[in-house]
Amino acid sequence: RKKALAEADEAEQKLLRDIEAAAGRIALLKDLDRNMDGFQHSVKTVMKASQGRRLRGILGPVSTILSVKSGWEVAIETALGFALQNIVVENETAAKAAMAYLKNERAGRATFLPLDTVRPASFDARRLPEGAQLASSLVQCDGKYEHIVSNLLGRIVVVDDINTASRVAKSLDYRNRVVTADG
């Protein structure tokens, strides 16, 4: 019983350390999210102005509206590239106001994606060769963002490896970007 008690105490201590480490990681990630680490200055400026109610209709960077299927994060990050920092806005009016704000603040430039003007991509998914899938099928988002996701990812093809990428690119006459799972 003493041995079992000692093992249980040891397991409890390990679990408490794991919980403490996870709590620290959560706090760090929340802090990074709050400070928008990794975002360019102009994006931070627009988001802070929106949070301070100086700008209306700002919905957030593309990276915040997507949820990527497990295992495909690198491929989607590669497919989107800098577009991860494009700012989704409710309409063209909100985009114009944010652009004027950036200009007045001399805070740089940003790309805005108004929900009322962005059009979905057109690609017949039935044309996809075996082993290929559209990047847009690997993410989930709120329904109101579907046109944004389609526009950004609806023509990009994702495959498992470089050999499949070569085969797929050729079969699509090199008209589509092809990204491998590892980017």
Side-chain angles (χ1 to χ4, degrees):
R1 281 188 278 182
K2 286 181 182 181
K3 181 179 176 185
L5 180 61
E7 288 173 357
D9 282 343
E10 187 177 317
E12 179 186 32
Q13 292 302 315
K14 183 186 180 313
L15 288 173
L16 289 173
R17 286 190 304 272
D18 290 347
I19 290 170
E20 190 175 309
R25 179 146 172 78
I26 289 170
L28 173 67
L29 291 172
K30 283 182 178 179
D31 190 47
L32 290 173
D33 187 44
R34 186 174 39 259
N35 293 326
M36 296 192 74
D37 268 14
F39 285 94
Q40 65 181 16
H41 176 68
S42 58
V43 174
K44 289 180 186 181
T45 300
V46 168
M47 294 312 298
K48 286 178 183 173
S50 173
Q51 292 163 357
R53 302 192 189 273
R54 292 184 300 280
L55 288 173
R56 298 199 189 295
I58 307 298
L59 301 171
V62 167
S63 63
T64 65
I65 67 166
L66 301 177
S67 175
V68 181
K69 288 185 182 176
S70 182
W72 297 102
E73 297 86 355
V74 174
I76 297 302
E77 183 178 349
T78 301
L80 285 170
F82 194 71
L84 282 166
Q85 294 197 33
N86 291 357
I87 302 171
V88 180
V89 294
E90 288 179 357
N91 52 45
E92 191 174 348
T93 303
K96 287 178 181 177
M99 286 182 233
Y101 183 81
L102 284 174
K103 185 176 181 180
N104 289 340
E105 296 293 314
R106 295 184 178 168
R109 300 177 185 174
T111 300
F112 295 91
L113 302 171
L115 291 178
D116 64 344
T117 62
V118 173
R119 298 291 165 240
S122 60
F123 183 84
D124 185 0
R126 294 174 296 185
R127 288 186 42 222
L128 281 175
E130 185 180 330
Q133 52 193 328
L134 288 177
S136 58
S137 71
L138 299 172
V139 300
Q140 288 110 17
C141 65
D142 187 285
K144 70 181 177 181
Y145 301 124
E146 285 179 5
H147 283 121
I148 301 291
V149 171
S150 173
N151 181 277
L152 295 173
L153 297 171
R155 286 177 240 126
I156 299 173
V157 178
V158 179
V159 297
D160 286 328
D161 57 53
I162 194 70
N163 293 327
T164 306
S166 295
R167 179 181 53 80
V168 167
K170 183 177 181 181
S171 71
L172 294 172
D173 297 323
Y174 303 99
R175 294 179 189 218
N176 296 76
R177 284 179 48 208
V178 180
V179 178
T180 61
D182 64 358

